[in-house]
Amino acid sequence: MEEQEQQTTDTSDGGAGGKISLRPLQLSDVDDFMVWATDPEVARFCRWEPYTSRDDALAYIAGTALPHPYYRAICLDGRPVGSLYVTRNEDRMEACRGELSYALGSGYWGRGIATEAVRAAVKEVFGRGRSWSGWKRSCTRRTRRRRGCWRRPGSPGRGC
């Protein structure tokens, strides 16, 4: 995945209350990052424990988010309210598969923001007009409630 331009999308029904966009996460976003990264409700659905240190968050952004080929801030009216990343499998035989993960501040849940962010990321990474028939989402028991986010962008709905 080569470096991408910022992808911007408007919510279709205005339910999010503003413009949703994706852009690379930056070190200057650390204070916004800490809002969702320190929230136990958000971390409950993720593979990490809530952050407790701003320095640890800066180290994560510098060491993981910045060098990642597709790690984006989910922005509402230009301000980060979550993050999203897409990773392609390294194995040549599995290169057509990957993982899309996101975290969104709990104060923004239920407003269609994650759905629009996933839709924009899929369009940006995989291009428009390609078949999504190869998509298979997978949910853990902890993330099963979030599967509606996958259904709306057009995934076939298998896997959960």
Side-chain angles (χ1 to χ4, degrees):
M1 286 174 275
E2 65 255 4
E3 188 61 32
Q4 304 286 328
E5 297 289 320
Q6 178 172 327
Q7 176 72 29
T8 302
T9 182
D10 288 310
T11 59
S12 55
D13 62 0
K19 184 177 280 193
I20 299 167
S21 61
L22 299 176
R23 65 162 173 77
L25 192 67
Q26 303 163 354
L27 286 173
S28 60
D29 294 326
V30 68
D31 292 327
D32 292 319
F33 178 86
M34 289 295 287
V35 172
W36 71 85
T38 60
D39 186 342
E41 284 299 304
V42 174
R44 181 167 72 110
F45 297 106
C46 298
R47 296 179 182 172
W48 39 266
E49 294 297 319
Y51 279 77
T52 57
S53 160
R54 189 174 190 273
D55 290 337
D56 288 345
L58 280 168
Y60 175 79
I61 294 169
T64 302
L66 293 179
H68 194 282
Y70 195 88
Y71 196 110
R72 299 292 186 259
I74 301 171
C75 299
L76 181 62
D77 291 329
R79 183 172 185 174
V81 295
S83 61
L84 177 147
Y85 68 84
V86 178
T87 303
R88 185 184 336 186
N89 286 350
E90 296 296 323
D91 184 309
R92 187 176 60 85
M93 297 300 289
E94 295 289 319
C96 63
R97 297 177 187 210
E99 176 180 301
L100 185 149
S101 298
Y102 66 90
L104 185 67
S106 60
Y108 299 95
W109 292 358
R111 295 168 56 185
I113 295 170
T115 301
E116 292 300 321
V118 167
R119 181 178 287 130
V122 167
K123 284 180 183 176
E124 190 173 347
V125 172
F126 298 104
R128 297 171 193 244
R130 292 193 182 166
S131 169
W132 291 11
S133 62
W135 273 81
K136 179 181 177 186
R137 69 173 189 255
S138 64
C139 303
T140 64
R141 174 177 272 170
R142 294 182 336 174
T143 62
R144 206 162 272 162
R145 289 179 52 218
R146 298 163 95 180
R147 66 181 156 195
C149 173
W150 285 105
R151 195 171 292 127
R152 286 181 286 252
S155 76
R158 295 184 303 270
C160 290

